[in-house]
Amino acid sequence: MREPDFAGVFAGAGVTGWLYACDLDSGREVGHGADAGVPTASVFKVPLLVEFARRADDGLLDPTEQLTVPARGRTEGPTGIAAMLDDVTMSLRDLAYLMIAVSDNGAADALMARIGFDAVNAMLAGFGLHGTVVRQDCQDFTDSMAEDAGHGWPYLDPEDIARLRVLDPERTNRSTPREMARLFGLIWRDEAASAESCAWMRTVLGLQVWPHRLATGFPYDDVDVSGKTGTMPTLRNEAGVVEYPDGGRYAVAVFTRSFSPALNQPRADAVIGTAARMAVDHLRR
């Protein structure tokens, strides 16, 4: 069967794109640059979520433990506790929820401080995901962009963007479309952690509030889309799972880089859903 023209669809939206999709039950797959190393942006929060769940399973942390994240020194961002003005106290698992559902940078960094990069990377290596590495948290993203550009995001010109380490997979958090989809497959098959913890992760990933990327390709009440977005200057990503009422389950990871530095690019967001739908339709034929 002829594969879809992913390159043409991405180019028509003004982006370069990389994609991998697989049927979680049959193993059928389709890809476009599936093994290319790409910056993950906030998609790195999924490996952090998995390691959080595994440590809870092993009794290394209590997910109900209350943690106070002070306003002073907290990682900033547009959502969740990152946008709040006062000290916040909540459970570790509620921080994990905010990290995924609204991509809360403050919650993510509070959890990373507790869990550590070494633990996350050891988990990834243990699953054979050697192309996926987490070396920066959200504060590191912000600090490195300010250092590289001489000022902060979002006011970046093309010369600034060319200097950003957060866009270089060799110097920031990285993965491949295939490996990120594989990690979602481990969650959906109860292989990433205990069955109970995997069910909880599936619930949390299903509560992500952003409907403008992967979900746009599946505008149906009976099709469930769960996932995690990632955004940096010129980068728009999402990885997740699409579930059909007939039981079909498809892990999909789409990473893009736009030709333009503009912040508002609806076509670049929507092409993630378009390409994902093309891939899933191909697998379902």
Side-chain angles (χ1 to χ4, degrees), residues 62-80:
D62 176 0
T64 68
E65 176 190 336
Q66 300 294 302
L67 179 68
T68 297
V69 186
R72 189 181 189 86
R74 185 164 63 216
T75 301
E76 296 181 355
T79 60

Side-chain angles (χ1 to χ4, degrees), residues 123-200:
M123 175 273 295
L124 291 165
F127 283 126
L129 304 176
H130 300 294
T132 305
V133 177
V134 178
R135 54 165 55 104
Q136 291 184 302
D137 62 15
C138 299
Q139 188 63 56
D140 293 330
F141 289 160
T142 300
D143 292 346
S144 71
M145 283 193 289
E147 181 178 339
D148 294 342
H151 55 85
W153 183 32
Y155 304 107
L156 299 170
D157 61 33
E159 290 186 1
D160 294 331
I161 288 171
R163 295 192 294 269
L164 298 185
R165 281 168 282 175
V166 295
L167 306 183
D168 181 355
E170 296 304 315
R171 297 190 292 171
T172 188
N173 300 340
R174 70 175 185 268
S175 188
T176 71
R178 187 189 305 272
E179 289 198 358
M180 194 51 62
R182 281 185 58 198
L183 185 60
F184 273 87
L186 293 172
I187 297 169
W188 255 252
R189 289 191 297 265
D190 290 342
E191 297 170 359
S194 69
E196 180 181 4
S197 288
C198 285
W200 171 76

Side-chain angles (χ1 to χ4, degrees), residues 229-240:
T229 60
T231 307
M232 282 288 173
T234 71
L235 298 184
R236 289 163 175 80
N237 307 327
E238 187 162 4

Side-chain angles (χ1 to χ4, degrees), residues 78-99:
T79 60
I81 69 168
M84 296 178 186
L85 300 179
D86 302 312
D87 296 355
V88 174
T89 300
M90 64 175 60
S91 69
L92 297 179
R93 67 182 172 191
D94 283 345
L95 287 168
Y97 154 74
L98 288 175
M99 171 181 74

